[in-house]
Amino acid sequence: MSHFPKAKRTLLSTSAAQRILHSHHSRQARHILANAADRILRGQQLALSGKTPFEVIYQREIISLRHYSTDRHPVKHRIPLVIVPPLAANMLVYDLFPHRSLVGYLLEQGFDVYLIDWGTPSLQQAKYNLGTYVKIFMPDFIEKIREHSKQQQLSLYGWSLGGALSLCYTALFKDKHIQNMVILASPINTHKSGYMGKLYQKLAIPAQWIRRHTKFRIYHVPSRVFHIHGWQNTLGFKLTDPIGNFRNYWELLKNLNDRQFVIHHATSSSFVDNMLAYPGGVMRDIILRFWIDNELSTGRVKFGEQTADLKDIDCAVLAIGGSTDIIVTAEAVRPLMDLISSTDKQFNIVPGGHMGLVSGNQAPDSVWPVITAWLVQRSD
């Protein structure tokens, strides 16, 4: 029998419950604060991206050449696959999650995988233009891949601007040892790229007037003026879907007590939160040659005294557009089919937006198998 009256015992048990509840809330609050601090201050350390091992086999200035082939994944296909990224892309996009890694998937399918890492441009590289990459860097790195792999025939995998670089290099040098090309969401006809294309068309009107009536030329402006820093690319990318990005961070706030959710969010954001700079000369070329003049849509791109004519491309080509891509719409990619001489050419529209084609949730089921099934038939 308790020596305390019933009312007092009830009061004591209520007090104990309150202390337990208070202690639980305190632990949860500390847990939420710790997760928030880690996400803000140590997001890169939390992220699971970039875990597939590789070897750097060549370095030139800020650019390096990665080889991803490992003993764990024996090479089954003779023709190596070369990933040619766009310039502003952080390489983490190709290796975003251990369970959702494009390079990991390609290794599992038996491909010998190389990746050209364009590095992190600074104002020192502001003078680089498209010609620098197409005429100087691309042939140098392609040669190094051939030396290392001991194979002349190669397959190129170019996403976004990386696809344009792949096409221009192959056409300019008439490289008949490029066996296959996979072109994802590359801006072939920018004026057909949805509402962005309409904006580019409007830009072309005053640009043409200026050319006819003034002596001003965009090439007179120093390339440093056009240099786009990484944080500016990150902001620009996020502004293409402001509602989606707001919702993304709102979900993070609601789930700060879930450590796995926080880690997943840090990993998903590791690419877009850490985009790289565009060298000023490249950005100037994109504005004038892609957005205003829509030069690639003509099939002929000039590099000084030389011209890359896409009709000189006759290798097998798989072109892919994303069904929800608003940066480079599928209709901006489709015209490639009429510009090349290839008889073995195919255009597919697959689910996903601009980044989703490479590393989105649907990519392992809806995009990667389409690419590898096509490549397997042409890589032995």
Side-chain angles (χ1 to χ4, degrees):
M1 176 79 61
S2 171
H3 297 290
F4 296 105
K6 183 177 180 182
K8 195 165 186 178
R9 288 201 306 271
T10 304
L11 183 63
L12 285 172
S13 62
T14 303
S15 178
Q18 287 175 337
R19 285 198 301 273
I20 292 169
L21 188 61
H22 177 73
S23 175
H24 171 74
H25 285 323
S26 295
R27 284 197 305 272
Q28 189 176 48
R30 287 196 297 272
H31 184 61
I32 289 172
L33 286 173
N35 282 343
D38 281 347
R39 178 64 189 90
I40 295 168
L41 301 175
R42 290 177 287 277
Q44 286 181 291
Q45 288 91 332
L46 277 185
L48 302 174
S49 48
K51 302 302 183 186
T52 305
F54 61 86
E55 177 189 7
V56 174
I57 61 172
Y58 178 60
Q59 184 90 32
R60 178 173 179 174
E61 299 181 35
I62 63 170
I63 307 168
S64 59
L65 178 59
R66 300 181 181 187
H67 182 225
Y68 276 97
S69 182
T70 65
D71 294 335
R72 203 157 51 91
H73 301 292
V75 174
K76 300 176 187 174
H77 307 296
R78 179 179 61 85
I79 298 176
L81 178 60
V82 183
I83 296 176
V84 184
L87 298 181
N90 186 311
M91 298 305 104
L92 295 177
V93 72
Y94 296 104
D95 191 24
L96 202 55
F97 284 91
H99 65 279
R100 201 170 85 219
S101 162
L102 174 62
V103 289
Y105 179 85
L106 293 170
L107 292 174
E108 289 171 359
Q109 302 304 308
F111 290 98
D112 193 11
V113 180
Y114 293 83
L115 183 148
I116 302 174
D117 180 353
W118 298 121
T120 305
S122 67
L123 282 171
Q124 288 183 304
Q125 285 77 40
K127 62 183 182 297
Y128 289 0
N129 56 31
L130 285 174
T132 310
Y133 289 88
V134 172
K135 292 174 64 176
I136 299 174
F137 294 140
M138 281 290 291
D140 183 23
F141 279 76
I142 292 295
E143 180 186 355
K144 293 300 185 295
I145 292 167
R146 285 174 168 147
E147 289 175 3
H148 186 267
S149 66
K150 298 180 174 54
Q151 294 288 340
Q152 284 297 302
Q153 290 179 310
L154 302 174
S155 296
L156 302 183
Y157 172 109
W159 168 49
S160 193
L161 186 62
L165 295 176
S166 301
L167 290 164
C168 289
Y169 158 77
T170 305
L172 186 67
F173 291 93
K174 299 178 175 59
D175 190 337
K176 299 303 179 184
H177 293 297
I178 299 299
Q179 185 78 3
N180 309 299
M181 270 199 284
V182 178
I183 304 298
L184 285 89
S186 294
I188 306 303
N189 188 331
T190 59
H191 288 188
K192 288 189 174 182
S193 195
Y195 74 87
M196 295 296 290
K198 289 181 171 58
L199 174 62
Y200 301 149
Q201 290 177 49
K202 289 179 180 178
L203 283 176
I205 296 170
Q208 291 167 1
W209 186 93
I210 289 169
R211 281 178 184 157
R212 285 196 303 267
H213 298 94
T214 76
K215 293 182 179 180
F216 174 80
R217 295 295 180 268
I218 196 170
Y219 284 106
H220 296 162
V221 181
S223 58
R224 291 171 66 92
V225 173
F226 295 93
H227 191 81
I228 305 295
H229 297 279
W231 68 267
Q232 293 170 309
N233 276 320
T234 292
L235 179 61
F237 191 89
K238 289 185 175 184
L239 286 176
T240 61
D241 184 15
I243 295 173
N245 277 286
F246 175 80
R247 189 183 301 119
N248 182 33
Y249 283 99
W250 178 246
E251 289 298 318
L252 174 64
L253 282 173
K254 291 196 299 182
N255 290 278
L256 274 175
N257 62 327
D258 184 340
R259 183 69 173 180
Q260 290 307 309
F261 186 95
V262 174
I263 291 172
H264 187 281
H265 187 275
T267 304
S268 296
S269 302
S270 59
F271 161 69
V272 74
D273 286 348
N274 298 282
M275 294 186 75
L276 309 179
Y278 263 126
V282 172
M283 194 65 226
R284 183 170 56 189
D285 278 344
I286 289 173
I287 293 170
L288 180 63
R289 306 182 70 172
F290 285 11
W291 295 355
I292 294 175
D293 290 347
N294 202 16
E295 193 174 350
L296 203 55
S297 71
T298 69
R300 292 171 60 85
V301 184
K302 284 191 167 294
F303 296 97
E305 298 299 316
Q306 298 172 279
T307 300
D309 193 331
L310 298 191
K311 286 198 183 316
D312 290 324
I313 294 175
D314 56 10
C315 65
V317 174
L318 171 64
I320 290 178
S323 60
T324 55
D325 191 343
I326 61 172
I327 295 176
V328 179
T329 65
E331 293 311 307
V333 184
R334 190 192 299 272
L336 177 63
M337 296 293 96
D338 297 325
L339 298 173
I340 56 179
S341 298
S342 309
T343 53
D344 182 0
K345 56 187 176 182
Q346 184 177 325
F347 174 72
N348 286 4
I349 298 177
V350 297
H354 200 64
M355 177 184 164
L357 294 182
V358 179
S359 61
N361 287 321
Q362 299 178 79
D365 297 321
S366 303
V367 185
W368 300 350
V370 172
I371 294 169
T372 53
W374 185 87
L375 276 172
V376 163
Q377 298 176 15
R378 297 162 175 82
S379 296
D380 297 318

